């Protein structure tokens, strides 16, 4: 298997932040700082090409109603859209061929699986701390799924040429990053993070993304893998200084420690974690992305859900690495 960008999903990710600017730069630096890194330095070294990528996309982007639906959505809503379109990629181009009942059944099934709350979707939205904007968007999707997905699918399709222009603009840098990702993927001694991606289940597709460069999104049937992730965490199978910093930073934060302690009791999916530790699903998604990067958690598939669990080998690796560095 060769790892390549998926045009429709990469375009979807680009549309989320198509107006990349100062706010996005500061958010990226903050995210990198959260990992215990010098965010400004890392951004200067590696994110300038990301800025060029978004600028080229913005130059050729076709504005349409779907852009409004996608701008500024949180990770929870993004996961929902991605899960639906991953199951039905044909809907990007031709959801009109599907009946209203078929679309409603598919979307209803995904919503039920993602929320799994005894009181149903509405109770889940209220009790799990979704933001007001996310509640509104999810309710809109549940009430008129075909119209909303048709709007998003049309916007993605219209902007595939803009994605192609953006990809061409950063072709050299992107080729180097994809070559590196493929080398890691094909190496039996994969980096720790790539091993985690593979742990979801044998044969799960791992799809690289440059529009979300330090994201690891583990869904039921696919893992999206940011192409700058290894640069942020270190790409060696040996324990690195980056791993020590990221792990120590994670353990110093109360919320992440509470999540790890909750997972010590049993594996949980993201909304169960949110309910257990009293945080919003969007915040939990952020924390789980960081904890995946540390190697302290891993993902396992149970039925149709991706559950997080403690990763004893990753935790032991960290403890032994600290001993090697400090003793």
């Amino acid at each position: 298997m060769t790892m390549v960008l998926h045009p429709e999903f990469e375009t979807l990710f680009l549309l989320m932040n198509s107006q990349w600017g100062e706010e996005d730069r500061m958010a990226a630096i903050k995210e990198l700082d959260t990992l215990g890194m010098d965010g400004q330095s890392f951004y200067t070294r590696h994110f300038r090409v990301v800025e060029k990528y978004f600028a080229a996309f913005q130059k050729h982007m076709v504005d349409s109603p779907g852009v409004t639906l996608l701008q500024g959505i949180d990770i929870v809503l993004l996961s929902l859209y991605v899960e639906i379109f991953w199951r039905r990629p044909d809907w990007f181009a031709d959801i009109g061929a599907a009946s209203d009942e078929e679309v409603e059944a598919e979307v209803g099934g995904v919503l039920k699986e993602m929320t799994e709350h005894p009181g149903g979707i509405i109770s889940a939205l209220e009790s799990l701390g979704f933001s007001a904007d996310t509640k509104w968007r999810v309710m809109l999707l549940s009430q008129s799924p075909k119209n909303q997905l048709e709007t998003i699918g049309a916007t993605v399709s219209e902007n595939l040429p803009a994605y192609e222009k953006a990809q061409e603009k950063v072709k050299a840098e992107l080729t180097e990053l994809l070559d590196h990702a493929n080398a890691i993927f094909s190496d039996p001694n994969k980096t720790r993070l790539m091993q985690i991606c593979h742990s979801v289940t044998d044969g799960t597709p791992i799809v690289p993304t440059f529009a979300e460069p330090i994201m690891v999104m583990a869904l039921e049937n696919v893992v999206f893998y940011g192409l700058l992730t290894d640069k942020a965490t270190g790409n060696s199978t040996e324990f690195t200084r980056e791993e020590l910093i990221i792990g120590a930073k994670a353990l110093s934060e109360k919320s992440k420690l509470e999540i790890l302690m909750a997972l010590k009791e049993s594996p949980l999916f993201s909304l169960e974690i949110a309910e257990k530790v009293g945080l919003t699903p969007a915040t939990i998604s952020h924390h789980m992305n960081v904890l995946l990067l540390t190697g302290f958690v891993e993902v396992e598939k149970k039925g149709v859900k991706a559950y997080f669990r403690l990763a004893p080998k990753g935790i032991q690796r960290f403890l032994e690495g600290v001993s090697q560095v400090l003793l």
Side-chain angles (χ1 to χ4, degrees):
M1 173 184 171
T2 300
M3 294 177 67
V4 296
L5 298 182
H6 190 296
E8 283 82 7
F9 285 101
E10 190 69 2
T11 302
L12 181 69
F13 296 149
L14 282 164
L15 286 165
M16 283 176 53
N17 293 304
S18 57
Q19 305 298 322
W20 188 281
E22 182 63 16
E23 185 176 335
D24 299 286
R25 186 182 75 84
M26 295 306 297
I29 291 172
K30 182 179 179 181
E31 175 79 8
L32 293 162
D33 284 338
T34 299
L35 294 176
M37 304 170 59
D38 180 345
Q40 180 64 64
S41 177
F42 186 93
Y43 189 96
T44 300
R45 289 199 310 275
H46 300 294
F47 266 76
R48 296 305 182 192
V49 65
V50 178
E51 289 183 348
K52 185 165 68 169
Y53 185 49
F54 274 94
F57 180 79
Q58 181 182 348
K59 180 179 178 181
H60 299 282
M61 185 182 77
V62 177
D63 198 4
S64 68
V67 175
T68 303
L69 282 173
L70 292 169
Q71 284 288 302
I73 63 174
D74 64 22
I75 189 68
V76 176
L77 200 59
L78 172 63
S79 299
L80 179 57
Y81 288 139
V82 170
E83 185 65 47
I84 292 168
F85 279 111
W86 185 260
R87 294 183 184 192
R88 295 300 305 265
D90 55 307
W91 285 0
F92 276 121
D94 189 23
I95 194 173
S99 68
D100 291 346
E101 293 75 17
E102 182 184 359
V103 176
E104 289 169 6
E106 187 74 65
V107 172
V110 173
L111 283 168
K112 183 178 179 181
E113 290 166 12
M114 288 189 70
T115 56
E116 197 173 90
H117 194 276
I121 295 170
I122 294 176
S123 294
L125 294 174
E126 292 297 331
S127 66
L128 293 172
F130 284 89
S131 70
D133 182 62
T134 297
K135 288 179 187 176
W136 175 78
R137 290 175 187 256
V138 172
M139 289 306 300
L140 179 63
L141 178 61
S142 66
Q143 291 169 2
S144 56
K146 188 172 181 179
N147 289 340
Q148 189 173 151
L149 294 176
E150 189 168 25
T151 300
I152 292 173
T155 299
V156 169
S157 296
E158 289 170 352
N159 280 286
L160 286 173
Y163 152 70
E164 292 168 359
K165 294 283 188 182
Q167 184 188 41
E168 187 64 27
K169 190 72 173 179
V170 296
K171 184 176 180 179
E173 298 94 332
L174 191 54
T175 298
E176 182 179 345
L177 288 168
L178 285 168
D179 286 346
H180 174 71
N182 278 295
I184 295 171
F185 185 85
S186 61
D187 187 342
N189 297 312
K190 299 177 181 72
T191 63
R192 173 185 49 78
L193 191 57
M194 190 64 80
Q195 291 171 6
I196 291 171
C197 290
H198 276 276
S199 74
V200 180
T201 182
D202 289 342
T204 296
I206 299 176
V207 180
T209 171
F210 195 42
E212 291 286 344
I214 54 171
M215 175 185 77
V216 177
M217 178 191 285
L219 299 177
E220 294 171 14
N221 300 302
V222 63
V223 177
F224 285 92
Y225 181 82
L227 282 172
L228 293 182
T229 303
D230 276 316
K231 292 187 181 295
T233 60
N235 56 20
S236 171
T237 55
E238 299 297 323
F239 188 78
T240 64
R241 177 178 176 273
E242 289 86 353
E243 285 184 77
L244 189 154
I245 293 171
I246 292 171
K249 177 77 172 176
L251 291 174
S252 72
E253 295 179 5
K254 179 175 178 289
S255 294
K256 291 184 179 63
L257 188 58
E258 287 180 348
I259 290 170
L260 293 172
M261 293 173 68
L263 293 178
K264 182 179 178 182
E265 298 176 16
S266 66
L268 301 167
F269 67 93
S270 59
L271 295 186
E272 287 178 326
I273 299 171
E275 197 162 29
K276 203 169 186 69
V277 301
L279 296 171
T280 67
T283 301
I284 289 297
S285 294
H286 164 76
H287 286 315
M288 299 319 297
N289 191 54
V290 174
L291 289 173
L292 279 170
L293 296 179
T294 65
F296 295 163
V297 301
E298 57 192 13
V299 182
E300 65 176 339
K301 191 174 179 184
K302 289 186 177 181
V304 296
K305 275 196 173 59
Y307 280 74
F308 294 99
R309 66 182 180 190
L310 284 184
K313 290 183 179 179
I315 294 171
Q316 189 61 42
R317 172 189 171 88
F318 176 78
L319 295 174
E320 291 174 357
V322 172
S323 296
Q324 292 170 12
V325 172
L326 298 179
L327 297 180

